[in-house]
Amino acid sequence: MAAFRSNIFMLAFFLCGFSVFVTGDVQTNQMNVAETVFIDNVPTTETDASPPSVTEQSQTAEEKRLWEGTEVGTNLADGASDNKVDHVHDTMQATDAPPSPPAKDQTQRFAFDERIWEATNVEINLVEDAPPIRDKEADEADHVLDTMQTQDFPPPSTAKDQFQEELVIKPLHSGDIYASFQFRTQWDTDFLLGSKVSHYRLFPKSLGQVISKFSVRELHISFTQGYWRTMQWGQPFLPSPPGAELWVWFQDTVTDVDLAWKELTNVLSGIFCASLNFIDSTNTVQPSASFKPLGVGNVTDQRFLRYAVLPREIVCTENLTPWKKLLPCGSKAGLAVLMKSEKLFHSSFHSQALHIRPVCKDWQCKSTSWELRQTLNVVFDLHTSGQGKREWSLFKMFSRTLTEACPLASSSKVYVDITDNPQGELFELSPATPLVSQAVVLGDGRTYSVYDLTDHATFGQTHSLNVLLRWRAAESGEMLRPLLHGERYVAGYGLQTGEIHTLVYNNHPYRAFPVLLLDTVPWYLRLYIHTLTVTSKGRDNKPSYIHYQPSKDRLQPHLLEMLIQLPPNSVTEVTVQFERALLKWTEYTPDPNHGFYVGSSVISALVPSVVAMDTNNTQERPLFSSFFPCKEESTYFMRIYTEPLLVNLPTPDFSMPYNVICLTCTVVAVGYGSLYNLLTRTFQVEEPSQGLAKRLANIIRRLRGVPLLT
Amino acid sequence: MGLLSDPNRRRALTNLLTRLNAPICVVCYLAGVMWFMGLAFEPFTLRTYMSENAMGSTMVEEHFPAGERALATGREFAAHKKKVGGMPVNWLVKTMESRGLEVFTQSFTRKLPFPDENKERYLVRGTNVYGILRAPRASRTEALVLTAPCSQGNANNQAVGLLLGLAQYFRSQVYWAKDIIFLVNEHDLIGMQAWLEGYHHTNTTGGDWSPLHGRGGSIQASLSLELSSDVITSLDLVLEGLNGQLPNLDLANLFHAFCQKIGVLCTIQGKLQRNDWESTSGYSHSAQTMMLMVLKQASGRPWGDHGLFLRYHIEAATIRGINSFRQYKTDTTTIGRLLEGMYRKLNNLLERLHQSYFFYLMPSLTRFVSIGYYMPAFGLLAVILLLRALDLWVQLGASAPGTEDGLAEREQDPRFLPLLNKLVISHMTGVALYCLPVMSQEMAVQHFPVSETEAVVLTAIAIYTAGLALPHNTHRLLQGEGTEHGWRVLKLVALLYLAVLLGCTALINFSLGFILALSLVPIAAFITPPLSAAIMVLLSPGCTLLYCVLIFQELQETPVSLQDGWMLFLSVISQGILDHSLYGSLVYPLLALLIYPCWLLLWNILFWK
């Protein structure tokens, strides 16, 4: 995979080469953006007359210096003034909107101030250790000046973009801890209209160009190392299968979807340093029902959908680095500073994903904007990372603490799940935060403590935030059993046939619900589809919908999609037998005795909400609110993945093929040929042939009528 | 082949073969035996070497510290076991869970076809408890297994303690790439069979087990631990599995390498390695070790809990701690470190163990005989059958031209019909020997003052002996017998049949094939009607089994008297039948359905009139 490392740089050059905005790779691009925006933000304090609430002597001084610097920048950068004014205008509107209540106004303003203050902090940190501060500052200013002058400042764009980041920390019942990062960039632009989009601010250019070049409507890609343990950990916020998963909806204007898919996978392979170029027709399918578009739009023709999984893909830092570079702040500021690979890959589960989709621009939904969501999910293990102690902190998890929000982010928050801990009896959370947020996640009402990183008070006296969870009890209570989970294994022994068992559990005590099961099996396992059985509770369970696409050797995999009704509190077992194909000897992988992977099956379902199953009425609630069980939603969508399979195929002994081939050929040629000869011929003793002279003499004798010579 | 297509030369060759047939056969037999005995001679064998790269050069360090704590856990386990009077399931589940494993249980019920008097069980109910250590960032595709049996009495408590100690230690390590399954199985092999069948969702022997709910993907390797004392003097490696299957030789190499590294005495077949191969005693030592392996392999039964894994292509071995009266003792921490090292190396495997040999014999732990070296010994024995068959064929062919062609054709029917009868009758006897003992046990118990087990064994012996009387009884029913020609044809058929049988057996289980060939080939080769019936009976499969039992006891240095030997012989028969019905061992059906009828064919020749 290391070979792709060079690929990405080549690709970055290729994609960004014609841009005047970028001098090097993606990273510098983003940092330039950061600088320009930083300048944009400053005037808002000018319009807002209120001074920062917490001011120490040095900080104000530095702030002043910064003001100077930026003033130089803004004064000289005439080309940028339009944009700046625009932006100022926007913020004016936002802050001084007349009908808004004063309190909110106040907090908002406060937030703005704080963010700017945070932003200045970056500069301070940068220059702190250099003694001639003045010179350095001047250099900074010069640099800003340079960038302003040498690079044409982009023309005013009407497109708005915004960036949000958040981190959810969820203590799990097993004692492990689940950290989920989400970064969302939203941009009101249209890549697919005639005019080429060439100015990128927050949205990564490499992805924008991919979208416009391949007419992508939706793109979902995930890299996962490890398997999500549903029975221990509950449901993840965003499920993903082990290995790499990619599914893409193309626009209906694309004529040759297969070609676009092929090129797209190769380009993405370069962007993410992954082996996505191994996606070809033998592992690509077009599911008919399991993967519907998640964004707005009404095209659901499966011809424009491609889905592929690479279960063998190993995810490591080389995939994380390009993923981090897509963030507006990179890993320099904001929540992304926590993403140090030595800690992220010292975990039980690591999954990074990227989702691009069109979403509604406003509540009327007349036009769409593009949403890029980057997620990273990590589970830290109690025993290996936590040394067996039920005590977690940001520092223990990531070996970093938070000191600031990303200056480009419009919101930056850390959530801690305290649903099971309303009075703090389970664990102690420090520092305490007054902000609490309620949300319905996966059909379950959850309560979160919120740390707003754009609020300066969050960081307290130490200027850093290190959220600490310390358990009071040794055991955390029993986890509600996940309503839906699946597992899969290969049954049987020997290398000729086998049977794939997929078990789907419905743990709901009284509700039945349907699930969509998607199975993709490579061609070298020849499914005997007539042996397909679906049983629940010992009885045959007839799927109401079956979509089966048989495989073609070396061309396409098996695709099996079924809609199955799961009875309440049951296990549904789907079995299908297969025969292991004997590959051609060049088709074996370099490690054939390791086995061949079969990707996870996908179970998509609308699951009844667990809110209805809430039996412990310990929480103080008004009676009128708790009669009808369904609170917000009665069902919610859930997708789970089973484990991938490792199947051994009949493998020749590759250790001495030459000897084997030579010996076999010789034996066959010599032994078989002559033995066959011996068996099929009859042997007779032949009289010795006569000499030519004698034969001639005999002919003459016959003519003469004389007895012949013997 | 030009040699054979030329009639003159062919005639010369056949003449040579028929004239010198008997001497050649004798030479072959002696050469076969000599070759086999030579396999134990050290200069003729190869030194073992690690073939698998992933396990060879990679260095691992062992740090397992908690041997004493493991022993304490073992004592706690023993106390709970005594309290519950069996497997302390709840305690085990709780202990494993507290060590951070995903714990599952499996219950099973098995009704034996007849009571097992060695282990005193008939209706077996039990529970297996296993915990899975999930490897970080692994996708549940590969697993390793460590098992320890929950035995009756005080045996193997230390093994369970060490297993739990290792589980705790392994759990805090980060380098695992494969899930590790820690299994405590009840009722040794029956529990293991239930667990393996549950894991692979097969049911080959009709057991009744509850399905498993946690799996770790395809199992790559497994070790089974037996440890009954706090300190040990040596570790014994047991390789022989079901139907004589052996794990990959690299597993034995791995064990040996770590014993060397850590400094633990290691044995195979309970015999230490000796360095004095030049001396007679040194040679006889390694010959004994090899003979023990051959006898164990020929028995076709699993000699440890690992034996059942081999059917699923999982490399497995049993490590047995032995405490004898030596001075040098090894503590549990050291054994823990040894296992840690082995698991770390197995964890490094990229592919299944496949580089080294699957077919081998071991005269000592550092020497092995590969299939290429031992097969000629069997080949020399098998070629005797073919030579004799050729000789007979030529003789038959020589006598046929004497009669006229038409006459010969008319004689075809009376020539082959009685032969067919004999074949069918012999095989019917075989079927009876296979089915009746188990089926008729109730009847036997009602009519005779014996236990079920005795009934089964004695019925088997009775049917076996009754088969000997068949020639006398069947002669009267059939006609066209007594000709010289008749027995020759019968012998020809029997010879070829035996050659095919032994050839196939030796390919799957060399030891069994070789032992059967040793006893059956001489009688098959030299049997003629006047041969003494006593020799024939003495070399029959049943008697071979008796000799094997006696030799085995002798080699194990626990010689028994003939009386005890007979009792052992009876229990071996019952164990053989049980192994077949419980685990699917193929030795009993092979002997009853194929070898014994074949021997009966030869027996018929003896009473040819």
Side-chain angles (χ1 to χ4, degrees):
Chain A
M1 223 184 299
F4 296 107
R5 195 174 287 278
S6 58
N7 258 7
I8 183 159
F9 290 119
M10 287 176 58
L11 200 96
F13 277 117
F14 167 70
L15 287 176
C16 307
F18 53 86
S19 155
V20 287
F21 198 64
V22 174
T23 52
D25 59 353
V26 185
Q27 185 65 39
T28 45
N29 178 5
Q30 281 158 359
M31 287 323 287
N32 283 346
V33 173
E35 279 165 24
T36 51
V37 173
F38 168 66
I39 292 156
D40 281 354
N41 278 338
V42 173
T44 53
T45 45
E46 290 175 324
T47 55
D48 269 66
S50 65
S53 56
V54 184
T55 44
E56 288 172 30
Q57 197 64 41
S58 62
Q59 277 172 354
T60 32
E62 272 153 4
E63 203 165 301
K64 257 186 206 157
R65 259 185 275 134
L66 196 93
W67 277 29
E68 284 165 23
T70 48
E71 266 164 6
V72 173
T74 42
N75 288 342
L76 290 174
D78 284 337
S81 58
D82 283 359
N83 194 9
K84 186 191 80 188
V85 169
D86 244 29
H87 195 86
V88 172
H89 188 62
D90 286 352
T91 40
M92 291 280 279
Q93 274 187 335
T95 48
D96 300 339
S100 63
K104 191 188 167 200
D105 197 359
Q106 200 62 41
T107 49
Q108 239 169 5
R109 196 173 294 166
F110 184 73
F112 266 109
D113 293 347
E114 285 312 305
R115 203 171 69 226
I116 289 146
W117 185 82
E118 287 301 329
T120 56
N121 231 1
V122 183
E123 298 294 322
I124 293 157
N125 289 343
L126 279 174
V127 296
E128 228 163 24
D129 43 340
I133 292 173
R134 232 18 257 186
D135 293 358
K136 187 79 185 176
E137 199 60 37
D139 282 353
E140 284 295 319
D142 279 355
H143 182 68
V144 173
L145 186 89
D146 284 354
T147 44
M148 290 300 156
Q149 282 181 331
T150 51
Q151 293 166 2
D152 241 2
F153 203 79
S157 95
T158 50
K160 283 195 297 182
D161 50 0
Q162 57 164 338
F163 174 66
Q164 292 165 289
E165 56 178 8
E166 65 181 46
L167 163 64
V168 184
I169 295 173
K170 186 178 173 189
L172 300 170
H173 288 269
S174 56
D176 304 341
I177 196 152
Y178 174 33
S180 172
F181 292 89
Q182 291 226 13
F183 302 92
R184 179 172 183 252
T185 311
Q186 202 174 341
W187 193 11
D188 302 343
T189 188
D190 197 344
F191 293 109
L192 308 161
L193 282 185
S195 63
K196 196 172 173 182
V197 180
S198 56
H199 170 47
Y200 290 83
R201 214 177 72 102
L202 297 175
F203 202 90
K205 187 166 186 175
S206 53
L207 290 178
Q209 285 174 333
V210 165
I211 294 171
S212 54
K213 177 157 196 298
F214 298 107
S215 301
V216 171
R217 195 150 70 89
E218 257 186 45
L219 186 149
H220 303 269
I221 185 167
S222 74
F223 299 98
T224 307
Q225 186 73 10
Y227 180 71
W228 183 268
R229 305 167 196 169
T230 312
M231 289 307 281
Q232 276 80 45
W233 297 341
Q235 294 295 337
F237 296 122
L238 274 166
S240 57
E245 184 199 41
L246 174 66
W247 56 287
V248 176
W249 277 93
F250 290 95
Q251 299 284 352
D252 48 6
T253 50
V254 179
T255 48
D256 190 347
V257 182
D258 285 321
L259 184 71
W261 169 249
K262 190 167 188 292
E263 287 179 10
L264 175 68
T265 53
N266 279 284
V267 168
L268 289 175
S269 167
I271 292 180
F272 293 105
C273 280
S275 318
L276 296 173
N277 53 337
F278 282 109
I279 293 176
D280 54 13
S281 69
T282 59
N283 48 22
T284 302
V285 290
Q286 303 171 35
S288 64
S290 291
F291 288 90
K292 289 295 169 203
L294 296 179
V296 293
N298 53 2
V299 179
T300 54
D301 187 349
Q302 71 195 63
R303 279 187 298 132
F304 299 104
L305 169 66
R306 290 295 181 276
Y307 173 80
V309 178
L310 296 175
R312 212 183 168 168
E313 181 72 11
I314 309 284
V315 183
C316 204
T317 48
E318 59 195 8
N319 307 106
L320 182 67
T321 310
W323 183 90
K324 278 198 292 197
K325 282 184 177 175
L326 298 174
L327 295 171
C329 288
S331 51
K332 298 282 190 291
L335 292 173
V337 294
L338 299 177
M339 291 183 213
K340 291 292 168 194
S341 39
E342 76 265 20
K343 279 294 185 182
L344 288 187
F345 290 102
H346 190 228
S347 56
S348 295
F349 176 81
H350 172 99
S351 169
Q352 59 190 64
L354 186 144
H355 304 273
I356 298 172
R357 60 176 180 178
V359 293
C360 289
K361 190 184 278 183
D362 45 22
W363 63 273
Q364 284 176 316
C365 210
K366 280 184 177 157
S367 58
T368 60
S369 60
W370 286 89
E371 183 199 65
L372 164 68
R373 227 179 241 260
Q374 284 179 261
T375 64
L376 187 129
N377 295 301
V378 194
V379 176
F380 292 101
D381 188 72
L382 171 72
H383 293 268
T384 55
S385 303
Q387 288 99 38
K389 271 193 278 181
R390 285 173 174 262
E391 183 180 313
W392 291 103
S393 65
L394 284 185
F395 189 80
K396 193 171 172 186
M397 287 188 270
F398 302 106
S399 72
R400 290 285 184 288
T401 55
L402 287 169
T403 51
E404 57 179 341
C406 170
L408 301 171
S410 59
S411 102
S412 175
K413 283 175 180 153
V414 177
Y415 295 86
V416 181
D417 192 331
I418 53 161
T419 314
D420 305 323
N421 187 36
Q423 263 80 47
E425 67 268 20
L426 262 187
F427 56 81
E428 181 191 352
L429 186 66
S430 69
T433 175
L435 290 178
V436 169
S437 152
Q438 299 262 355
V440 176
V441 185
L442 298 167
D444 191 9
R446 314 291 300 180
T447 315
Y448 295 93
S449 284
V450 185
Y451 296 87
D452 190 352
L453 299 189
T454 53
D455 181 358
H456 173 243
T458 308
F459 298 104
Q461 293 295 319
T462 53
H463 309 306
S464 76
L465 175 66
N466 184 19
V467 180
L468 179 74
L469 285 90
R470 190 182 286 122
W471 260 259
R472 296 221 165 103
E475 293 288 316
S476 51
E478 280 294 298
M479 189 181 71
L480 208 58
R481 286 188 76 182
L483 288 184
L484 173 69
H485 85 107
E487 57 185 65
R488 194 152 73 133
Y489 58 93
V490 179
Y493 59 91
L495 287 176
Q496 196 191 354
T497 56
E499 196 168 34
I500 295 179
H501 286 241
T502 311
L503 304 180
V504 188
Y505 292 80
N506 174 6
N507 291 330
H508 201 289
Y510 53 85
R511 287 276 290 273
F513 57 86
V515 294
L516 261 172
L517 180 75
L518 168 73
D519 250 330
T520 315
V521 180
W523 64 267
Y524 38 77
L525 301 187
R526 305 213 162 100
L527 292 187
Y528 294 153
I529 204 70
H530 71 277
T531 61
L532 178 75
T533 57
V534 184
T535 45
S536 357
K537 291 185 165 173
R539 273 192 308 194
D540 202 29
N541 184 350
K542 201 172 182 320
S544 47
Y545 166 76
I546 296 187
H547 171 67
Y548 175 65
Q549 185 189 338
S551 71
K552 286 181 192 152
D553 277 7
R554 299 172 181 86
L555 281 181
Q556 82 180 26
H558 301 267
L559 169 70
L560 180 62
E561 267 187 302
M562 288 186 289
L563 186 67
I564 306 168
Q565 183 79 12
L566 302 183
N569 201 9
S570 68
V571 188
T572 303
E573 187 167 22
V574 181
T575 64
V576 60
Q577 290 177 11
F578 65 86
E579 185 186 73
R580 299 163 207 243
L582 190 63
L583 302 185
K584 290 179 182 169
W585 70 284
T586 48
E587 286 170 344
Y588 286 96
T589 51
D591 52 352
N593 284 290
H594 177 70
F596 292 77
Y597 283 86
V598 179
S600 313
S601 34
V602 188
I603 301 165
S604 320
L606 278 176
V607 180
S609 173
V610 273
V611 173
M613 283 169 61
D614 188 12
T615 48
N616 64 336
N617 292 318
T618 50
Q619 290 173 358
E620 285 296 318
R621 253 192 295 170
L623 291 178
F624 63 81
S625 74
S626 61
F627 179 66
F628 286 111
C630 303
K631 213 155 49 176
E632 280 86 1
E633 312 164 51
S634 59
T635 57
Y636 60 98
F637 179 76
M638 186 191 271
R639 178 173 289 152
I640 57 170
Y641 294 89
T642 64
E643 48 269 78
L645 301 175
L646 185 61
V647 183
N648 276 86
L649 294 186
T651 311
D653 181 7
F654 286 108
S655 56
M656 40 177 160
Y658 180 74
N659 295 352
V660 172
I661 291 167
C662 287
L663 191 73
T664 323
C665 290
T666 316
V667 167
V668 167
V670 175
Y672 175 77
S674 35
L675 203 67
Y676 184 74
N677 213 356
L678 258 180
L679 289 171
T680 50
R681 275 196 195 167
T682 53
F683 293 94
Q684 287 175 343
V685 179
E686 193 182 281
E687 290 183 9
S689 62
Q690 299 159 334
L692 185 66
K694 203 182 244 178
R695 250 188 275 169
L696 281 175
N698 275 341
I699 291 167
I700 298 165
R701 275 164 174 263
R702 193 177 291 145
L703 291 175
R704 284 169 54 197
V706 184
L708 302 180
L709 286 175
T710 54
Chain B
M1 293 287 162
L3 195 67
L4 292 178
S5 30
D6 182 347
N8 292 328
R9 272 187 255 168
R10 184 153 60 160
R11 202 175 303 131
L13 193 70
T14 47
N15 278 342
L16 186 77
L17 280 182
T18 41
R19 199 151 37 85
L20 294 178
N21 198 285
I24 291 179
C25 288
V26 172
V27 167
C28 275
Y29 189 82
L30 292 178
V33 176
M34 294 279 286
W35 186 295
F36 178 75
M37 294 317 290
L39 294 178
F41 192 49
E42 200 171 306
F44 294 166
T45 56
L46 293 173
R47 222 184 149 70
T48 53
Y49 54 92
M50 190 75 86
S51 300
E52 176 63 58
N53 281 329
M55 295 199 308
S57 55
T58 51
M59 296 298 292
V60 294
E61 288 177 354
E62 308 85 28
H63 300 292
F64 177 70
E68 286 306 313
R69 209 193 303 165
L71 287 178
T73 319
R75 281 191 285 275
E76 205 180 329
F77 170 74
H80 280 91
K81 189 164 86 174
K82 196 175 265 175
K83 203 164 75 187
V84 182
M87 183 100 153
V89 176
N90 292 331
W91 180 83
L92 267 175
V93 168
K94 214 158 42 168
T95 316
M96 282 187 175
E97 264 171 1
S98 72
R99 280 156 170 70
L101 307 182
E102 280 180 34
V103 189
F104 305 92
T105 58
Q106 182 205 26
S107 58
F108 57 90
T109 317
R110 189 73 223 259
K111 193 178 162 197
L112 273 56
F114 55 90
D116 183 354
E117 290 194 341
N118 285 24
K119 290 181 176 156
E120 294 174 351
R121 57 190 182 188
Y122 179 51
L123 182 64
V124 180
R125 274 177 215 283
T127 313
N128 293 323
V129 179
Y130 65 105
I132 305 180
L133 190 168
R134 295 290 182 195
R137 296 184 311 286
S139 52
R140 298 192 178 179
T141 47
E142 291 174 289
L144 302 172
V145 178
L146 176 61
T147 74
C150 168
S151 318
Q152 284 164 346
N154 273 329
N156 287 324
N157 293 333
Q158 285 83 353
V160 177
L162 184 55
L163 175 123
L164 292 171
L166 282 172
Q168 184 166 23
Y169 177 72
F170 284 2
R171 184 65 178 86
S172 58
Q173 304 305 317
V174 291
Y175 36 65
W176 301 115
K178 299 172 170 56
D179 291 358
I180 302 179
I181 301 176
F182 296 91
L183 167 67
V184 180
N185 56 313
E186 202 177 359
H187 299 299
D188 47 69
L189 283 164
I190 296 181
M192 193 56 87
Q193 170 87 356
W195 189 80
L196 278 169
E197 295 209 325
Y199 196 93
H200 295 94
H201 202 104
T202 54
N203 201 342
T204 49
T205 50
D208 183 15
W209 36 257
S210 63
L212 300 190
H213 289 292
R215 284 183 175 77
S218 83
I219 302 175
Q220 306 287 304
S222 160
L223 288 180
S224 177
L225 186 64
E226 290 178 20
L227 205 63
S228 298
S229 56
D230 291 359
V231 287
I232 55 144
T233 48
S234 61
L235 284 176
D236 190 42
L237 181 69
V238 186
L239 298 171
E240 299 84 4
L242 186 70
N243 289 326
Q245 275 185 294
L246 298 171
N248 197 282
L249 186 57
D250 269 343
L251 199 64
N253 296 339
L254 181 68
F255 171 75
H256 182 64
F258 269 99
C259 285
Q260 294 287 308
K261 183 180 175 190
I262 295 182
V264 182
L265 277 181
C266 51
T267 59
I268 188 164
Q269 320 299 348
K271 306 237 181 228
L272 273 174
Q273 167 124 20
R274 283 168 65 153
N275 293 322
D276 52 342
W277 58 268
E278 304 93 338
S279 67
T280 324
S281 65
Y283 168 73
S284 81
H285 183 79
S286 59
Q288 281 175 21
T289 316
M290 192 181 74
M291 277 306 295
L292 270 175
M293 178 158 188
V294 167
L295 287 171
K296 280 186 178 178
Q297 196 187 7
S299 76
R301 61 178 319 201
W303 285 83
D305 282 356
H306 73 282
L308 298 173
F309 281 90
L310 298 167
R311 167 184 286 161
Y312 302 93
H313 193 9
I314 299 166
E315 308 315 317
T318 295
I319 295 175
R320 192 171 283 158
I322 292 173
N323 195 12
S324 64
F325 301 107
R326 275 171 202 280
Q327 285 297 316
Y328 184 74
K329 301 278 187 190
T330 307
D331 64 346
T332 319
T333 310
T334 317
I335 307 168
R337 280 172 53 213
L338 180 116
L339 286 170
E340 185 200 351
M342 288 182 75
Y343 271 88
R344 286 199 60 182
K345 284 231 176 174
L346 290 172
N347 179 54
N348 286 346
L349 279 182
L350 297 174
E351 303 181 57
R352 276 172 187 281
L353 283 175
H354 69 284
Q355 300 272 16
S356 196
Y357 294 88
F358 285 98
F359 297 95
Y360 53 87
L361 295 175
M362 297 191 94
S364 72
L365 207 45
T366 51
R367 296 267 157 186
F368 76 102
V369 183
S370 78
I371 184 169
Y373 288 81
Y374 66 59
M375 258 323 190
F378 174 80
L380 284 169
L381 295 189
V383 82
I384 296 174
L385 297 176
L386 296 182
L387 279 176
R388 296 303 289 178
L390 191 69
D391 183 35
L392 273 176
W393 177 253
V394 171
Q395 284 180 22
L396 286 171
S399 61
T403 62
E404 282 180 25
D405 283 3
L407 200 66
E409 271 172 29
R410 235 174 291 142
E411 269 185 1
Q412 285 286 337
D413 291 345
R415 217 163 51 171
F416 281 104
L417 191 64
L419 209 61
L420 199 67
N421 284 334
K422 288 203 182 306
L423 270 174
V424 171
I425 289 170
S426 313
H427 280 93
M428 293 303 286
T429 323
V431 172
L433 179 59
Y434 175 68
C435 301
L436 284 183
V438 178
M439 276 164 62
S440 65
Q441 50 169 316
E442 283 177 20
M443 210 175 69
V445 170
Q446 281 167 5
H447 291 88
F448 299 99
V450 286
S451 70
E452 280 98 341
T453 319
E454 285 169 334
V456 170
V457 176
L458 294 178
T459 318
I461 294 176
I463 295 172
Y464 186 86
T465 343
L468 304 187
L470 273 180
H472 303 286
N473 302 329
T474 50
H475 276 199
R476 285 179 216 134
L477 300 174
L478 305 167
Q479 306 144 9
E481 307 224 350
T483 58
E484 185 80 352
H485 191 85
W487 74 259
R488 278 177 206 275
V489 175
L490 180 61
K491 187 176 171 185
L492 178 64
V493 170
L495 278 174
L496 292 177
Y497 186 32
L498 189 63
V500 170
L501 266 182
L502 292 181
C504 293
T505 310
L507 278 182
I508 300 164
N509 185 346
F510 164 77
S511 304
L512 184 61
F514 187 77
I515 288 176
L516 287 175
L518 268 185
S519 67
L520 288 178
V521 163
I523 51 170
F526 296 105
I527 186 167
T528 46
L531 191 78
S532 156
I535 297 175
M536 188 77 195
V537 172
L538 285 178
L539 288 177
S540 76
C543 293
T544 314
L545 184 60
L546 179 62
Y547 307 146
C548 285
V549 171
L550 294 174
I551 294 171
F552 182 73
Q553 292 299 327
E554 194 68 35
L555 289 173
Q556 278 209 317
E557 294 162 14
T558 51
V560 288
S561 65
L562 210 60
Q563 180 82 31
D564 294 344
W566 176 254
M567 294 313 290
L568 259 179
F569 172 68
L570 296 185
S571 86
V572 162
I573 294 175
S574 72
Q575 290 300 312
I577 299 175
L578 274 179
D579 281 348
H580 170 60
S581 60
L582 288 183
Y583 320 121
S585 159
L586 291 174
V587 174
Y588 177 61
L590 176 82
L591 288 179
L593 292 175
L594 297 170
I595 301 286
Y596 175 63
C598 188
W599 181 83
L600 274 184
L601 287 181
L602 296 168
W603 179 253
N604 268 305
I605 299 169
L606 202 62
F607 297 96
W608 202 269
K609 287 171 187 155

